[in-house]
Amino acid sequence: MSEFVPSNIQREMEVYGYDTVVKSHCRMCHGGCGVLVYLKNGKAKKIAGDPDCPINHGTLCPKGIASLQLAYHPDRLTYPVRRIGPKASGKWERISWDEALDTIAGKINDYKARFGAESIVMGYGTGRDNEAVIYRFANLLGSPNVLTAGHFCYGPRIATSIITCGTNPIVDYENNPRCIIEWGNNIVISNPDEYKGESFSVALEKGAKLIVVDPRMTRAAARADIWLQLRPGTDAALALGMLNVIVREELYDRDFVENHVYGWEPFVERVNEYPPDKVEQITWVPREKIAAAAKLFATTKPAGIQWGVAIEQQINCADNDRLLMALMGITGNIDVPGGQVLFQQPGIRNVGYFGAHRMLSDAQRAKRLGGDRFRLAGNFGIINPKCVWDAIITEKPYPVKMLFFISSNPLLTRANADEVYRALEKVEFMAVSDFFLTPTAEMADIVLPAATWLEMDYIGDFWKRHGYILPRRKAIQVGECRSDHEMLNDLAHRVGQGEYWWDNFEQALDWILEPLKMTWRDFKKLDYLRGERIPQKYRTVGFSTPTGKFELYSTMLEKWGYDPLPRYREPLESPYSNPGTVKQYPYILITGRRIPGFFHSENRQLPWMRELNRDPVVEIHPDAAKKEGINEGDWVIIESPRGKIRQRAKLFPGMDPRIVSAEHGWWFPENKDPGHGWRESNINMLTDNSYANCDPAMGATHIRTLMCRIYPERLEGDVSHE
Ligand SMILES: Nc1nc2c(c(=O)[nH]1)N[C@H]1C(S)=C(S)[C@@H](COP(=O)(O)OP(=O)(O)OC[C@H]3O[C@@H](n4cnc5c(=O)[nH]c(N)nc54)[C@H](O)[C@@H]3O)O[C@H]1N2
Ligand SMILES: Nc1nc2c(c(=O)[nH]1)N[C@H]1C(S)=C(S)[C@@H](COP(=O)(O)OP(=O)(O)OC[C@H]3O[C@@H](n4cnc5c(=O)[nH]c(N)nc54)[C@H](O)[C@@H]3O)O[C@H]1N2
Ligand code: SF4
Ligand SMILES: [Mo]
């Protein structure tokens, strides 16, 4: 437990009788916000923003404030359990940590010996600061199969930026961008990855011009200089249209293009295929607006693109990312102050190094599920989930016998939930580490009680690209909960990996920091460290790509057999690609817009957060609602060719009447049936995960654009949930 007490809050402690205050970093989302945790008698009593933290300057979002409701929730799992009835029977018995880890280790050793390490799939969801230990464990085990959300979230940005310019370009909010495009992102709600909505808002207040690319009117779209209200899933066409204007009107940065770009001529040829009038037909955005946005962005410098996950959950995922980088690059905004920065971490052993990717043999790497099919993903260690479900269900190309999910709830968060369920039902052995018995955990054989961010020492933001690392200091202990890092360190010793791990996890932190000649004890006295910043480093050393240039034409994609130039493909399920289906399913369904209190399937059991959003909500345009006989607040059936679910109607005029927008991640912890109602309102009952509907290089599932129909539940004969 940290003994570190910042001096400026000692007085507050005396007045209110707190025993101590621990400075740490929240991780109720991807994390990063500095917090002060006030303690009394070993219990955390209050969480406040840390005004000295350079990431949040004392601000916190609702989820951060509700951290204590998570840590001390009465339903929280506080000791390991083993299932004693059939899957999803809700029958569990308490076991010791030793018994839990011995059982899991026994299964790992057995499956490895009989079916190969590849038969064991480790899994996590979005970034939770535990990926380094999970990859280390899997790589040392010899399993190339770590199932994450990386195929359709953030992984594409990392993979495509590495092959385009060496690392992920981040908007440089500190140096006053004068123009920002917020593209498929809602940063003030989502605070994703290395970004916080606060910095974006401050930049706007300082007068930055704003262009928003979003089919829905978000708060940012409402105040934008230009709002490009596109048809969902057509981002690649829109970007190509903007590039077309920039190239045709010669608004690009000549020096950058002449000296630092690879593949300019073929790129221009491709861009010429997308004149604004054609793009208008594809995207529904008027050509004048496309031209105006292109000009504003190209002529207002410095400028940045705040990109989001909506562009990645599409069939055009990798090309969308590459096109946005092309916009950043050819307008001369790469690695300039106030543009897009290529930050460096302080010189620690980074996540990739810690993850021991080099320790995985070539023979095992070649067995990565889907590695041949989705080669961009496969080369970055990312797999498409369907490849795992198929390997379980069909035992091809080889059987997967064991799943070990550490911080993921795939029944709610992966496309085609019905198929996910069938795979979880069939898999021989499943372990889960989580805070609660989620619908996914209810399918497991053993569930381990995970520690929240308040209960661990760690080097926070270790995986991000903003250049900071921050000490996350342990403030409390709850029951027998353990961090995933400690748990895997312990498990590793039981499966013969001991020589590559540590006696305790603090030694691992020391090892990460060793290149800085610093230990965890030294580091935790600091507020943060930040890597050195060298603007326009490419001018002296080039870009870290095969050609040393900014690759508009990707030599890596070419090598892997893909089109080296970005293009637009029509979604497989859209009003234009299958007009027959449109008669039956007339609306374009967007899924998963972020809402303040929840994080995917999390927080439905936290009273403050549930008060913000009691029920799942589907946004429907008033004209569409009228046509379908739907009133505000009605329970509505949303149906796709794959199934139907129910959510509550909110009439929302801020989008085209042909679009509806549903929330994701819904289950009902208050429903004490062991399934906790996971099918009822789970939007992923409707999404499609077929290979044909994925990005061909990245394997991203296309969950942002599908076709659906909607009608009031009262008209539904065979569904009665009330
Ligand atoms: N239809 C649709 N589906 C989507 C999306 C969408 O927009 N639309 N978004 C997708 C995206 S971008 C992502 S990244 C995925 C996210 O997918 P997941 O990461 O699988 O989502 P969560 O529901 O947050 O599940 C995380 C689980 O881990 C637990 N947990 C949280 N922190 C920890 C921890 O530190 N340790 C352990 N052991 N457990 C922890 C939580 O209690 C929760 O049950 O969802 C995706 N699913
Ligand atoms: N509160 C909260 N915060 C979160 C999360 C959460 O679940 N809850 N999840 C976290 C995770 S893992 C991620 S990846 C991030 C994602 O964070 P964001 O990238 O901000 O994602 P979203 O809010 O899902 O989508 C952003 C916008 O994309 C729009 N959109 C939908 N379809 C399209 C399209 O086809 N094209 C374009 N251009 N826009 C479209 C939506 O209307 C929405 O306003 O948020 C993170 N932060
Ligand atoms: S934005 Fe994320 S890190 Fe910051 S307070 Fe909210 S949940 Fe915590
Ligand atoms: Mo994500």
Side-chain angles (χ1 to χ4, degrees):
M1 204 144 305
S2 174
E3 62 286 348
F4 178 66
V5 181
S7 57
N8 59 342
I9 44 173
Q10 263 167 11
R11 194 173 139 62
E12 194 186 353
M13 287 167 52
E14 281 159 24
V15 171
Y16 294 101
Y18 297 114
D19 300 326
T20 187
V21 174
V22 177
K23 252 189 188 219
S24 194
H25 290 92
C26 177
R27 216 244 54 222
M28 290 291 277
C29 69
H30 295 137
C33 292
V35 288
L36 304 172
V37 185
Y38 291 70
L39 299 166
K40 200 172 187 175
N41 302 326
K43 282 199 111 185
K45 294 288 181 190
K46 175 183 147 178
I47 304 254
D50 176 2
D52 297 331
C53 178
I55 290 181
N56 59 322
H57 309 98
T59 63
L60 288 182
C61 86
K63 300 187 296 304
I65 295 168
S67 298
L68 299 186
Q69 289 191 342
L70 170 66
Y72 295 125
H73 197 283
D75 294 345
R76 207 176 143 196
L77 190 64
T78 53
Y79 45 80
V81 290
R82 176 186 20 229
R83 185 165 45 76
I84 49 174
K87 289 192 184 195
S89 61
K91 296 201 168 69
W92 299 94
E93 68 175 359
R94 179 175 185 163
I95 54 173
S96 69
W97 266 104
D98 276 336
E99 196 179 344
L101 293 183
D102 280 342
T103 309
I104 295 172
K107 292 286 181 186
I108 289 176
N109 291 334
D110 177 45
Y111 291 130
K112 182 174 175 176
R114 289 197 290 143
F115 302 98
E118 64 276 12
S119 69
I120 300 154
V121 173
M122 308 279 297
Y124 66 89
T126 190
R128 290 194 172 83
D129 270 351
N130 56 10
E131 47 290 298
V133 275
I134 297 173
Y135 274 109
R136 185 174 188 84
F137 187 89
N139 284 325
L140 292 167
L141 182 68
S143 176
N145 296 324
V146 177
L147 175 59
T148 71
H151 62 301
F152 65 4
C153 172
Y154 194 69
R157 258 164 285 175
I158 298 301
T160 55
S161 62
I162 287 175
I163 62 171
T164 304
C165 58
T167 185
N168 184 3
I170 301 301
V171 183
D172 185 13
Y173 288 111
E174 287 159 60
N175 286 303
N176 303 328
R178 291 190 52 235
C179 177
I180 302 166
I181 307 188
E182 191 191 33
W183 198 310
N185 178 257
N186 195 6
I187 185 176
V188 294
I189 305 287
S190 59
N191 300 292
D193 310 303
E194 37 276 299
Y195 292 111
K196 290 283 167 255
E198 191 217 14
S199 4
F200 171 82
S201 305
V202 169
L204 294 187
E205 268 150 37
K206 287 190 181 163
K209 298 279 183 203
L210 177 65
I211 300 165
V212 171
V213 183
D214 199 306
R216 294 171 49 253
M217 186 189 280
T218 58
R219 278 187 231 171
R223 68 181 284 188
D225 296 278
I226 302 177
W227 172 27
L228 303 176
Q229 192 185 357
L230 84 176
R231 170 165 70 96
T234 63
D235 299 81
L238 180 63
L240 282 157
M242 287 172 67
L243 285 158
N244 182 290
V245 173
I246 292 169
V247 170
R248 197 164 23 88
E249 303 204 6
E250 297 189 6
L251 300 174
Y252 54 86
D253 183 311
R254 269 188 188 286
D255 170 59
F256 189 81
V257 164
E258 277 164 22
N259 298 307
H260 305 290
V261 149
Y262 182 78
W264 178 247
E265 285 79 19
F267 179 77
V268 168
E269 259 177 56
R270 177 60 57 87
V271 162
N272 284 340
E273 293 170 27
Y274 294 88
D277 49 346
K278 173 175 165 184
V279 170
E280 172 176 329
Q281 281 170 19
I282 300 173
T283 61
W284 302 348
V285 181
R287 71 199 77 177
E288 303 75 30
K289 275 200 171 180
I290 300 171
K295 283 182 205 162
L296 181 64
F297 179 68
T299 57
T300 317
K301 293 185 184 178
I305 302 182
Q306 171 64 52
W307 49 7
V309 84
I311 57 166
E312 293 179 330
Q313 298 176 336
Q314 299 186 12
I315 200 165
N316 295 308
C317 166
D319 282 353
N320 284 343
D321 283 344
R322 294 200 306 132
L323 284 160
L324 266 48
M325 277 183 278
L327 279 165
M328 301 167 193
I330 72 163
T331 52
N333 281 302
I334 285 284
D335 226 0
V336 296
Q340 308 269 164
V341 193
L342 310 179
F343 283 114
Q344 310 194 87
Q345 264 189 344
I348 49 172
R349 294 198 167 99
N350 64 23
V351 167
Y353 191 87
F354 189 100
H357 294 283
R358 295 218 172 100
M359 306 286 279
L360 184 69
S361 69
D362 288 345
Q364 285 307 104
R365 183 168 295 129
K367 294 181 190 163
R368 180 165 290 140
L369 288 168
D372 286 346
R373 190 190 290 269
F374 302 115
R375 299 198 61 194
L376 175 61
N379 275 283
F380 285 90
I382 292 169
I383 51 185
N384 166 288
K386 183 173 173 57
C387 300
V388 175
W389 319 138
D390 280 356
I392 295 169
I393 295 167
T394 69
E395 310 205 339
K396 296 216 170 63
Y398 50 78
V400 162
K401 294 288 178 183
M402 170 172 170
L403 294 172
F404 189 178
F405 284 115
I406 301 169
S407 65
S408 189
N409 193 1
L411 262 187
L412 276 302
T413 53
R414 301 300 186 279
N416 193 354
D418 233 356
E419 185 173 276
V420 181
Y421 184 77
R422 273 182 274 127
L424 301 193
E425 220 177 12
K426 184 169 176 210
V427 76
E428 264 186 29
F429 183 80
M430 180 161 135
V432 161
S433 164
D434 206 301
F435 308 139
F436 296 100
L437 287 171
T438 64
T440 299
E442 296 276 8
M443 304 289 286
D445 294 272
I446 288 192
V447 186
L448 304 173
T452 67
W453 64 270
L454 285 152
E455 300 151 59
M456 68 176 82
D457 283 334
Y458 197 55
I459 300 167
D461 284 23
F462 181 31
W463 57 278
K464 293 185 185 168
R465 306 284 166 141
H466 55 25
Y468 288 102
I469 54 168
L470 315 145
R472 174 164 299 127
R473 303 180 184 89
K474 179 164 178 166
I476 54 168
Q477 173 71 40
V478 176
E480 294 181 11
C481 299
R482 296 176 81 185
S483 73
D484 301 319
H485 317 76
E486 288 172 351
M487 180 273 287
L488 283 173
N489 190 41
D490 190 338
L491 187 65
H493 286 275
R494 296 169 201 245
V495 295
Q497 299 183 13
E499 63 177 302
Y500 301 105
W501 294 76
W502 297 270
D503 294 340
N504 59 59
F505 203 71
E506 185 174 331
Q507 292 172 3
L509 302 179
D510 292 344
W511 186 73
I512 293 169
L513 294 161
E514 190 179 75
L516 298 177
K517 302 201 171 22
M518 197 181 270
T519 64
W520 167 251
R521 289 192 162 256
D522 303 324
F523 181 57
K524 75 172 176 177
K525 292 190 190 123
L526 307 177
D527 280 353
Y528 61 88
L529 285 173
R530 199 174 199 193
E532 194 192 356
R533 222 181 122 173
I534 312 167
Q536 296 190 312
K537 198 172 152 195
Y538 64 82
R539 288 188 178 273
T540 46
V541 296
F543 287 101
S544 180
T545 58
T547 56
K549 304 261 177 167
F550 188 96
E551 294 200 7
L552 295 172
Y553 179 106
S554 171
T555 55
M556 293 306 289
L557 287 177
E558 182 172 46
K559 190 177 124 195
W560 293 325
Y562 297 103
D563 187 346
L565 293 166
R567 62 172 149 168
Y568 171 72
R569 295 172 210 84
E570 180 66 21
L572 289 194
E573 206 170 286
S574 89
Y576 304 113
S577 50
N578 37 14
T581 321
V582 175
K583 283 208 185 90
Q584 224 185 328
Y585 302 100
Y587 296 97
I588 300 178
L589 174 64
I590 316 177
T591 75
R593 66 170 185 282
R594 277 36 175 170
I595 45 178
F598 301 141
F599 197 69
H600 303 291
S601 71
E602 291 179 49
N603 302 354
R604 304 286 182 304
Q605 57 283 81
L606 309 190
W608 288 347
M609 299 301 95
R610 193 63 182 275
E611 231 171 76
L612 295 175
N613 300 86
R614 194 145 294 284
D615 299 312
V617 166
V618 53
E619 291 175 345
I620 301 171
H621 191 279
D623 294 351
K626 197 166 169 212
K627 197 165 147 200
E628 307 295 341
I630 294 166
N631 301 312
E632 177 84 25
D634 278 355
W635 282 99
V636 169
I637 300 292
I638 316 169
E639 187 177 337
S640 86
R642 288 154 296 277
K644 53 187 168 188
I645 62 150
R646 68 199 291 260
Q647 299 201 354
R648 249 184 142 138
K650 178 178 161 194
L651 304 196
F652 180 57
M655 60 189 182
D656 190 287
R658 292 166 283 186
I659 298 173
V660 300
S661 164
E663 291 173 2
H664 77 305
W666 273 94
W667 60 293
F668 303 92
E670 68 276 17
N671 175 343
K672 293 305 171 197
D673 174 89
H676 308 293
W678 70 268
R679 287 175 193 271
E680 197 175 310
S681 299
N682 175 2
I683 201 68
N684 283 319
M685 293 296 292
L686 311 192
T687 50
D688 176 25
N689 66 348
S690 61
Y691 293 127
N693 210 358
C694 292
D695 178 283
M698 199 63 219
T701 9
H702 195 94
I703 56 172
R704 289 279 164 156
T705 315
L706 42 142
M707 302 304 290
C708 74
R709 61 192 184 120
I710 45 171
Y711 46 94
E713 190 176 60
R714 66 186 129 80
L715 300 184
E716 173 75 4
D718 58 352
V719 179
S720 63
H721 299 267
E722 301 273 7

